[in-house]
Amino acid sequence: MNFKEDNSLLFYLKNPTCRFFTGYKPCPVATKHNTTCPSVHCRLIKEKLLVIEMGGLGSILRTTVVTKEFKKRHKNTHITFLTNTYGAKALTHSQSVDRVLIYDNNILPLLLVEEFDYLYNYEVNPVASSLTSLIKAKNKCGFGLSKLGIPYL
């Protein structure tokens, strides 16, 4: 694909605030309506929330209550959920979660580059707690990891 020919893709690369833009294709909603974002059909991202929950399936499903309530109060928030493989399967049809990431060794660079407005970590384990300490977020809630390697609240 030639970027000079595809002005819509170039627009998204310069303005990555569309909720439906994945990074390699133009927004499908705007494309369907033959327009570019921002359009009346798209919701732009105003805030970003990262939820970390890699525990059991019950814990992961209980955490979705928080994402639903957050979405009600903050309409244009993009919610990313970092979880394990089982949690990702359970969250596939959640309407309150925009993106599900499965924790593995390849995900860390992505999380260290992104910036979030809010980060909620419900996991006390050292790996999840260390992510809270490393990831850039304006507001953090939940467990972090001290320099001694001990989780704290």
Side-chain angles (χ1 to χ4, degrees):
M1 175 187 308
N2 186 343
F3 287 120
K4 291 180 182 176
E5 294 172 6
D6 192 349
N7 290 330
S8 62
L9 185 58
L10 189 58
F11 172 83
Y12 294 111
L13 292 173
K14 289 181 179 178
N15 304 291
T17 58
C18 174
R19 164 179 315 281
F20 303 109
F21 175 55
T22 60
Y24 62 94
K25 290 182 182 177
C27 167
V29 177
T31 303
K32 177 181 174 185
H33 296 283
N34 199 25
T35 184
T36 59
C37 290
S39 76
V40 294
H41 309 289
C42 293
R43 292 179 306 173
L44 298 181
I45 298 170
K46 292 191 178 171
E47 297 178 309
K48 290 175 64 179
L49 165 66
L50 174 65
V51 177
I52 300 173
E53 176 58 77
M54 295 184 270
L57 196 54
S59 298
I60 292 166
L61 292 176
R62 277 193 301 272
T63 305
T64 60
V65 173
V66 174
T67 60
K68 288 177 188 172
E69 188 59 32
F70 201 93
K71 200 70 119 168
K72 279 183 196 174
R73 294 180 186 195
H74 305 268
K75 299 270 187 230
N76 292 332
T77 298
H78 184 274
I79 298 179
T80 299
F81 207 110
L82 178 64
T83 188
N84 54 36
T85 308
Y86 302 111
K89 289 178 184 175
L91 293 167
T92 17
H93 300 294
S94 174
Q95 294 182 357
S96 62
V97 176
D98 297 294
R99 178 175 67 164
V100 177
L101 299 176
I102 298 172
Y103 179 77
D104 63 17
N105 293 337
N106 298 321
I107 207 70
L108 186 59
L110 172 73
L111 292 172
L112 292 177
V113 170
E114 282 194 56
E115 293 182 13
F116 296 91
D117 296 292
Y118 303 93
L119 186 154
Y120 292 170
N121 177 17
Y122 297 98
E123 277 298 313
V124 70
N125 76 53
V127 172
S129 297
S130 68
L131 290 173
T132 301
S133 299
L134 292 172
I135 294 171
K136 293 176 253 176
K138 294 175 188 167
N139 304 290
K140 296 181 181 184
C141 182
F143 295 97
L145 193 69
S146 73
K147 292 179 181 181
L148 298 173
I150 302 169
Y152 66 87
L153 187 59

